[in-house]
């Protein structure tokens, strides 16, 4: 497994990130443990979760599954760079009680204690703001984070789903306080969705943040969806974002061109989508959310894949990016 530094930190992290969103809602505890053992055995050391994963009445369940895995020992916790998130409402569904969500100092304090308990650990390596909070001042957020760092409960703070100017605002506020600021950004970024290249990734690079793309296959759209549709029936592997995109003739034509291209080069669509992200400037590593060990094995193969200049150029032709800013904004 190849490793890199997480942004401007001293943390060495794997270039593939294990996402745990499916642990609990889709994959049961025993199989989740098996997947985590396989990932760790393959050298994957950055595990990503969130306090709300498990969803609905089972919010927090995913963190609990990680906690029960850590409890098995074998230096599991010591080997993992653990990332979780704060923002979502952890109260019961439909309970309109204030201060149970977002980034107030009170909720950050409550949320980190809840995550530590569920995870069965006394510290979190990377504590991420799941979304921007437009109502809480950054001075309050950084004051709360600084206290947690001083207490040893978290090491670093990161963001998720931030705009480029949110990253700048957050880190300028941190600089005024002599706080460390954000060290990473999780964003939607893949071959079919490249808008992050306009402002988010340049902002992250300017402030020394590692970029951790989520949805690298764009909800399955880049995973050979047309082939699956053709081989296994109209409903196989086609749902959500993929199904909506394939209803659009232009997007369907684009995806067909993509699948034809990778077939020509003798590689798998999902492997190419992950491999492409690993060639992008500023990217630390994409998040994969395997539901099975077979899906994890596929993702691990992608890390070893080397894409030719010819293939990369052809991918740009099929999925042209917005181009560098500010030229990308010109008429």
């Amino acid at each position: 497994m190849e490793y890199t530094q997480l942004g401007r930190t001293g943390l060495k992290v794997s270039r593939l990130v294990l996402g745990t969103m499916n642990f609990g809602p889709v994959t049961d505890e025993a199989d989740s443990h098996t997947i985590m053992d396989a990932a760790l055995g393959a050298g994957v050391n950055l595990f990503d979760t969130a306090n709300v994963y498990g969803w609905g009445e089972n919010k927090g369940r995913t963190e609990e599954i990680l906690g029960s895995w850590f409890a098995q020992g074998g230096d599991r916790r010591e080997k993992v760079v653990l990332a979780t998130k704060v923002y979502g409402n952890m109260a019961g569904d439909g309970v309109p009680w204030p201060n149970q969500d977002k980034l107030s100092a009170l909720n950050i304090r409550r949320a980190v204690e809840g995550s530590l308990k569920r995870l069965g650990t006394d510290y979190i390596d990377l504590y991420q703001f799941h979304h921007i909070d437009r109502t809480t001042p950054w001075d309050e957020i950084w004051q709360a984070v600084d206290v947690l760092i001083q207490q040893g409960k978290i090491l670093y703070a990161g963001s998720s789903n931030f705009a480029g100017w949110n990253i700048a605002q957050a880190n300028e506020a941190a600089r005024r306080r002599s706080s460390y600021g954000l060290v990473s950004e999780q964003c939607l970024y893949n071959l079919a969705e490249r808008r992050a290249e306009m402002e988010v990734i340049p902002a992250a690079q300017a402030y020394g943040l590692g970029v951790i793309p989520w949805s690298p296959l764009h909800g399955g759209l880049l995973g050979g969806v047309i082939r699956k549709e053709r081989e296994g029936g109209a409903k196989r592997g086609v749902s959500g974002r993929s199904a909506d995109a394939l209803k659009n003739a232009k997007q369907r034509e684009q995806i067909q061109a993509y699948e034809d291209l990778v077939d020509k080069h003798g590689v798998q669509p999902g492997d190419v989508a992950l491999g492409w992200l690993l060639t992008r400037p500023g990217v630390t590593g994409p998040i994969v959310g395997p539901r099975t060990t077979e899906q994890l094995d596929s993702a691990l193969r992608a890390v070893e894949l080397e894409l030719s200049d010819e293939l990369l150029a052809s991918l740009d032709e099929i999925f042209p990016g917005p181009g560098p800013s500010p030229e990308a904004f010109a008429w």
Side-chain angles (χ1 to χ4, degrees):
M1 175 60 63
E2 183 181 353
Y3 296 89
T4 187
Q5 284 193 208
L6 179 64
R8 54 194 166 84
T9 76
L11 285 176
K12 302 294 191 298
V13 296
S14 51
R15 297 219 64 198
L16 191 70
V17 182
L18 181 68
T20 64
M21 183 184 293
N22 289 313
F23 296 173
V26 178
T27 306
D28 66 23
E29 183 168 351
D31 287 343
S32 299
H33 286 184
T34 299
I35 291 170
M36 287 188 280
D37 280 333
L40 194 63
V44 177
N45 75 334
L46 179 51
F47 287 20
D48 178 74
T49 190
N51 59 352
V52 294
Y53 288 173
W55 312 110
E57 296 180 354
N58 294 312
K59 292 173 185 174
R61 178 61 183 141
T62 303
E63 286 187 332
E64 291 174 349
I65 289 174
L66 268 79
S68 63
W69 181 72
F70 289 142
Q72 294 180 19
D75 292 331
R76 284 174 170 83
R77 177 65 189 94
E78 289 74 16
K79 293 175 180 176
V80 165
V81 176
L82 177 61
T84 191
K85 307 183 192 75
V86 55
Y87 182 91
N89 194 319
M90 292 299 288
D93 285 351
V95 178
W97 197 254
N99 303 315
Q100 298 284 343
D101 63 359
K102 300 187 179 178
L103 303 180
S104 69
L106 177 56
N107 187 56
I108 288 175
R109 177 176 176 174
R110 285 174 171 167
V112 77
E113 295 296 343
S115 287
L116 290 171
K117 182 177 180 180
R118 288 186 293 271
L119 291 162
T121 185
D122 57 0
Y123 74 100
I124 294 161
D125 298 287
L126 179 61
Y127 200 48
Q128 302 161 108
F129 310 130
H130 211 156
H131 297 280
I132 188 69
D133 183 347
R134 295 183 175 87
T135 59
T136 303
W138 273 110
D139 279 344
E140 176 179 346
I141 294 170
W142 287 129
Q143 186 271 342
V145 167
D146 288 345
V147 169
L148 295 178
I149 292 174
Q150 291 162 8
Q151 292 174 337
K153 294 179 178 179
I154 70 172
L155 299 184
Y156 303 98
S159 59
S160 179
N161 303 306
F162 275 30
W165 75 271
N166 296 142
I167 292 171
Q169 183 185 41
N171 272 22
E172 290 302 323
R175 181 178 295 170
R176 290 193 297 270
R177 294 176 48 86
S178 297
S179 299
Y180 203 59
L182 301 172
V183 303
S184 64
E185 160 62 16
Q186 272 195 38
C187 59
L188 175 61
Y189 183 38
N190 54 56
L191 268 168
E193 177 49 83
R194 296 180 60 172
R195 285 177 293 180
E197 295 175 3
M198 296 181 76
E199 291 191 358
V200 174
I201 292 175
Q205 291 180 288
Y207 284 97
L209 278 63
V211 175
I212 306 173
W214 59 268
S215 195
L217 303 188
H218 207 54
L221 195 64
L222 299 169
V225 66
I226 294 179
R227 178 194 300 173
K228 292 176 183 176
E229 180 186 62
R230 184 171 56 247
E231 293 176 352
K235 293 185 178 180
R236 182 186 173 190
V238 185
S239 62
R241 185 182 301 148
S242 299
D244 292 340
L246 292 182
K247 292 176 184 176
N248 182 296
K250 183 177 179 180
Q251 281 191 289
R252 187 180 184 91
E253 182 180 344
Q254 191 178 40
I255 296 303
Q256 184 65 70
Y258 172 65
E259 294 189 15
D260 290 344
L261 173 67
V262 299
D263 282 346
K264 174 185 173 183
H265 285 264
V267 287
Q268 296 299 313
D271 294 356
V272 171
L274 286 171
W276 177 83
L277 279 169
L278 291 170
T279 70
R280 304 309 299 165
V283 168
T284 298
I287 300 173
V288 296
R291 299 186 296 274
T292 65
T293 52
E294 290 76 18
Q295 290 180 346
L296 174 65
D297 290 341
S298 176
L300 290 169
R301 288 196 304 271
V303 176
E304 305 301 326
L305 183 66
E306 292 189 14
L307 305 182
S308 67
D309 292 341
E310 178 189 355
L311 178 53
L312 289 171
S314 297
L315 291 172
D316 276 335
E317 290 178 5
I318 296 172
F319 301 106
S325 300
E327 292 85 354
F329 294 98
W331 290 95

